[in-house]
């Protein structure tokens, strides 16, 4: 039996989708006793338990401290590491996010333990942990041996495990004071990207519409944005398009950009350089539109159309509108 | 005023990965090794800092097998002053690497600033920056897009989901992990490449730093290549027909819409 702690993140008053995905899977593992940790300022966390208190999780720890009113890498690390020490957890899991990527490695050092980042598979059965993670942006996969790690720490890629039913039960909510006595660094201000406030990040997106250098300039990405808005997708880009200045680096899919695994990835005018393919190959369904029938992208795609993207993208936008409304 | 930059040597992004015969590591034969692209931003940031602070010296460090000296020379040619090569194994985990880098920095310090890239593009673990900061008991920020250096303080922005920015103010010494776009890394000039060959590269062993290989916490038990996809189904016809057919397939067959 393993005692597992799931770190849950939230935005406004809701637990993040990715955190629920990890939790919902953990609750189904035979031989895992699962608890949840939510961190923040005192008195602000109780309402976050609504979604998860009627689940089979054992405890929901609301860990608070005045200095956690905003995210703090060292503060979060200390609070989680102390909670793990006090309760004897043998595994700490979280969804891959800017927070977990940032502070989990600190927790690993504090607990003299190892961490596997960005796992695409993770399960506990009895005393056995099975974890797989991509390397080289997905050009290969490695199975992780945690046997020398006192605590098995991992972040899990959004959409990789899939959402399961939140097994019902009644979790006991416990309020814990983190007693941090100050932190070294914390967020002083959060600046949303203009026009991007409600945009789903590529790494969490369920659908992605991506463009390459064939788009020719940044204005032309409008045709992909139109298509994306009809199907609720996020717009991405190849390195060539980013290097040419058509899109910001935040939008880059690939080995030196973001590794994504949406259920639908549509590539327009992307030839399929190895470093791009590495970043999107775990997508469930890949569609490629390219004028060059010999483009390598077609070898990785499920569906292909040899066509001019400037005609095909608007035609698809219309076809989706008809089919969906 | 000592500035440290921690870098990693990684296979070029165009590398086709092959699994070695042991089934749990990659076949490194024929691999072209480069300085990790994110670390170039870290090196550049350190050099720019030095250009404005004449008392600063930059030491570049890397842990790995002997080949990593080439990447240390690249950083020296860009403008770092000296280098430390920590002799470590091919598959050392982030725990050992962070501890080793921290010990070396403690030995050669005290550090005023430590720079590194936001992640190495080989194992993609993205752990060493914060693990290093924790080992040194320092503040840190990762995925940093811009930083202003004041007296004993660094004001910086780090990129999070959706391109939003978190703003921090860190007291020095601190660890800063660079995101692509933090600056525009320079190319080393030929005279500087020649000069770099004469700069000192100090060697350290893990055991000099009080670390044993057996301290490693995770290892890879098996590596596999991703499964190949089935044949691509090509959709033909004029644009409107093809679009209608593709939408039908995505909706009714693939059920992703």
């Amino acid at each position: 039996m393993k005692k597992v702690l799931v770190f849950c993140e939230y935005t406004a008053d809701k637990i993040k989708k990715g955190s629920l995905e990890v939790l919902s899977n953990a609750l189904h593992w035979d031989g895992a006793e699962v608890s949840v940790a939510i961190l923040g300022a005192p008195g602000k966390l109780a309402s976050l338990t609504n979604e998860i208190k009627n689940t089979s999780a054992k405890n929901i720890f609301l860990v608070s401290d005045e200095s956690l009113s905003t995210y703090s890498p060292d503060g979060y690390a200390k609070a989680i590491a102390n909670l793990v020490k006090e309760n004897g957890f043998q595994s700490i899991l979280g969804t891959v996010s800017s927070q977990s990527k940032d502070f989990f490695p600190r927790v690993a050092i504090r607990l003299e333990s190892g961490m596997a980042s960005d796992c695409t598979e993770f399960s506990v059965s009895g005393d056995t942990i099975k974890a797989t993670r991509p390397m080289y942006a997905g050009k290969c996969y490695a199975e992780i041996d945690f046997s020398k790690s006192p605590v098995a720490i991992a972040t899990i890629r959004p959409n990789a495990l899939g959402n399961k039913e939140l097994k019902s039960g009644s979790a006991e909510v416990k309020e814990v004071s983190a007693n941090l006595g100050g932190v070294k660094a914390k967020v002083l201000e959060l600046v949303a990207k203009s026009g991007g406030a409600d945009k789903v990040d590529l790494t969490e997106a369920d659908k992605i519409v991506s463009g390459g250098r064939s788009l020719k300039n940044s204005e032309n990405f409008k045709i992909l944005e139109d298509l994306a808005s009809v199907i609720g997708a996020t717009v991405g880009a190849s390195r060539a398009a980013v290097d040419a200045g058509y899109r910001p680096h935040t939008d880059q899919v690939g080995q030196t950009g973001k590794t994504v695994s949406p259920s639908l990835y549509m590539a327009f005018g992307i030839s399929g350089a190895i470093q791009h393919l590495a970043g999107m190959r775990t997508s469930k369904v890949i569609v490629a539109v390219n004028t060059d029938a010999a483009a390598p992208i077609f070898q990785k795609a499920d569906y292909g159309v040899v066509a001019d993207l400037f005609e095909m993208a608007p035609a698809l936008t219309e076809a989706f509108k008809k089919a969906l409304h | 005023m000592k500035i440290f930059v921690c870098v990693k040597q990684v296979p070029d992004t165009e590398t086709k990965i092959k699994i070695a015969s042991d089934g749990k590591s990659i076949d490194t034969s024929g691999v072209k090794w480069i300085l990790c692209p994110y670390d170039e931003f870290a090196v550049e940031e350190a050099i720019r800092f030095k250009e404005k602070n004449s008392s600063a010296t930059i030491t570049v460090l890397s842990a790995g097998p002997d080949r990593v000296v080439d990447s240390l020379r690249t950083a020296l040619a860009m403008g770092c002053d000296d280098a430390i090569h920590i002799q470590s194994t091919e598959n050392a985990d982030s725990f050992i690497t962070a501890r080793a880098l921290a010990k070396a920095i403690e030995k050669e310090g005290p550090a005023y600033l430590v720079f590194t890239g936001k992640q190495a593009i080989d194992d993609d673990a993205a752990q060493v920056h914060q693990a290093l900061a924790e080992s040194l008991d320092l503040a840190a920020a990762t995925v940093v897009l811009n930083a202003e250096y004041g007296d004993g303080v660094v004001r910086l922005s780090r990129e999070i989901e959706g391109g939003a920015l978190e703003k921090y103010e860190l007291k020095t010494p601190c660890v800063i992990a660079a995101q692509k776009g933090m600056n525009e890394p320079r190319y080393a000039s030929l005279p500087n490449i020649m000069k770099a060959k004469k700069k000192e590269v100090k060697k350290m062993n893990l055991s000099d730093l009080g670390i044993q290989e057996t301290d490693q916490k995770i290892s890879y038990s098996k590596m596999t290549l991703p499964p190949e996809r089935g044949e691509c189904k090509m959709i033909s016809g004029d644009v409107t027909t093809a679009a209608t057919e593709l939408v039908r397939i995505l909706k009714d067959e693939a059920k992703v819409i």
Side-chain angles (χ1 to χ4, degrees), chain A residues 209 223-224 226-228 230-231 264 266-268 287-290 303-305 307-324, chain B residues 235 238-250 257:
Chain A
V209 174
I223 59 169
L224 298 190
D226 290 345
L227 171 55
V230 174
I231 58 172
L264 175 63
M266 303 184 82
F268 289 85
V287 173
V289 175
N290 205 297
Y303 304 101
V305 187
D308 181 352
L309 71 94
F310 292 101
E311 292 172 17
M312 195 62 197
L316 276 167
T317 305
E318 288 312 308
F320 277 124
K321 272 186 193 162
K322 264 189 211 158
L324 295 172
Chain B
I235 296 161
D238 65 79
V239 165
T240 314
T241 314
T244 309
E245 173 63 2
L246 181 57
V247 167
R248 185 195 65 77
I249 291 171
L250 293 177
I257 291 290

Side-chain angles (χ1 to χ4, degrees), chain A residues 98 102 106 112 117 133 136-137 139 141 143 145 184 188-189 191 201 250 256 281 283 300 302 304, chain B residues 13 38 122-125 127 130 134 137-138 142 158 161-162 165 167 219 221-222 224 229 233 235:
Chain A
S98 63
D102 195 52
R106 281 185 178 263
E112 302 260 327
S117 311
R133 62 177 302 266
Y136 303 89
K139 288 177 189 169
Y141 284 78
E143 288 177 20
D145 179 353
K184 290 190 176 70
L188 300 179
E189 193 191 339
V191 185
D201 194 70
T250 355
T256 51
R281 68 190 309 160
S283 306
K300 298 288 175 230
D302 301 291
Chain B
T13 53
Y38 293 112
D122 53 356
D123 63 19
D124 292 325
Q127 294 176 18
Q130 286 282 14
E134 188 67 41
D137 199 20
L138 297 181
T142 63
R158 94 178 186 103
E161 284 84 355
L165 298 175
K167 301 212 165 196
S219 58
S221 48
K222 189 180 171 191
T224 49
R229 284 183 178 257
K233 185 177 157 79
I235 296 161

Side-chain angles (χ1 to χ4, degrees), chain B residues 30-103:
Chain B
V31 167
K32 182 186 164 202
W33 298 96
I34 58 166
L35 175 61
C36 176
Y38 293 112
D39 296 340
E40 288 183 13
F41 299 102
V43 172
E44 178 65 31
E45 196 68 14
I47 297 168
R48 289 184 188 200
F49 180 83
K50 186 188 164 173
E51 285 168 348
K52 289 186 185 149
N53 297 272
S54 55
S55 67
T57 57
I58 308 171
T59 300
V60 56
L61 302 85
S62 189
D66 286 338
R67 58 172 166 74
V68 308
V69 173
D70 289 342
S71 291
L72 289 172
R73 296 267 177 225
T74 306
L76 290 171
M78 286 172 75
C80 296
D81 296 296
D82 50 36
I84 297 171
H85 170 212
I86 301 169
Q87 287 170 305
S88 174
T89 54
E90 196 79 53
N91 282 317
D93 68 355
S94 301
F95 183 86
I96 285 195
T97 305
R99 280 280 170 90
L101 292 167
K103 288 283 180 197

Side-chain angles (χ1 to χ4, degrees), chain A residues 205-280:
Chain A
D206 182 53
K207 299 181 190 73
I208 293 173
V209 174
S210 220
R213 192 156 47 188
S214 313
L215 266 291
K216 295 196 184 92
N217 57 46
S218 53
E219 293 73 42
N220 286 341
F221 267 82
K222 173 87 172 42
I223 59 169
L224 298 190
E225 273 159 11
D226 290 345
L227 171 55
S229 73
V230 174
I231 58 172
T234 300
V235 174
S238 70
R239 183 168 75 181
V242 170
D243 286 351
Y246 305 164
R247 301 292 290 190
H249 177 246
T250 355
D251 292 355
Q252 185 181 321
V253 174
Q255 199 171 0
T256 51
K258 286 175 175 156
T259 306
V260 300
S261 49
S263 58
L264 175 63
Y265 188 89
M266 303 184 82
F268 289 85
I270 292 175
S271 62
I274 186 166
Q275 82 107 16
H276 184 81
L277 298 175
M280 45 65 96

